[in-house]
Amino acid sequence: QATFNRTAVKRVMQDALPTGTPITGTMVLITAGAAKVFATQLLETARQVQQQWKSGPFGEKDDHDAVHQPLRPQHVAEAYRRLQQRNSLPPNPRSQIPALLLP
């Protein structure tokens, strides 16, 4: 099973949170878990997109089974769009901050 590097997650959290915010091991663990759930959901949806496009009218012209083909950026972008459309993504907190307060 794949995991996110906790040191890297903590570094991203330090960059995202206000300076001086204490980051506990529990916070890192929960954030890494949420990131893994999000990545899994995104990639599963991207695989569905790949399969649908393979069998649809604009299918990729390839004799190999789509399951064994690498995902393309278009598949991931469409998966992200579909998750947004289904409200399966958490809201972007930056979109709720007045533009004057953004760095």
Side-chain angles (χ1 to χ4, degrees):
Q1 289 225 334
T3 60
F4 280 95
N5 180 317
R6 291 193 185 150
T7 304
V9 171
K10 185 172 183 175
R11 203 171 320 125
V12 170
M13 290 175 70
Q14 288 170 335
D15 290 344
L17 295 172
T19 304
T21 303
I23 299 172
T24 66
T26 303
M27 291 169 62
V28 173
L29 181 66
I30 291 169
T31 302
K36 185 175 179 178
V37 168
F38 168 72
T40 301
Q41 187 178 21
L42 181 66
L43 293 176
E44 286 176 354
T45 305
R47 283 281 180 213
Q48 291 171 358
V49 168
Q50 183 184 45
Q51 290 286 11
Q52 290 169 354
W53 287 0
K54 184 84 173 171
S55 63
F58 304 109
E60 300 160 358
K61 304 299 181 212
D62 195 344
D63 292 336
H64 300 294
D65 185 16
V67 172
H68 300 295
Q69 294 297 311
L71 289 172
R72 296 184 177 173
Q74 303 92 307
H75 299 135
V76 178
E78 175 62 15
Y80 186 82
R81 187 194 67 77
R82 289 182 185 186
L83 290 173
Q84 276 184 318
Q85 191 175 32
R86 283 188 272 184
N87 291 325
S88 295
L89 299 177
N92 181 353
R94 289 184 159 269
S95 66
Q96 299 170 3
I97 299 172
L100 296 172
L101 300 179
L102 291 176

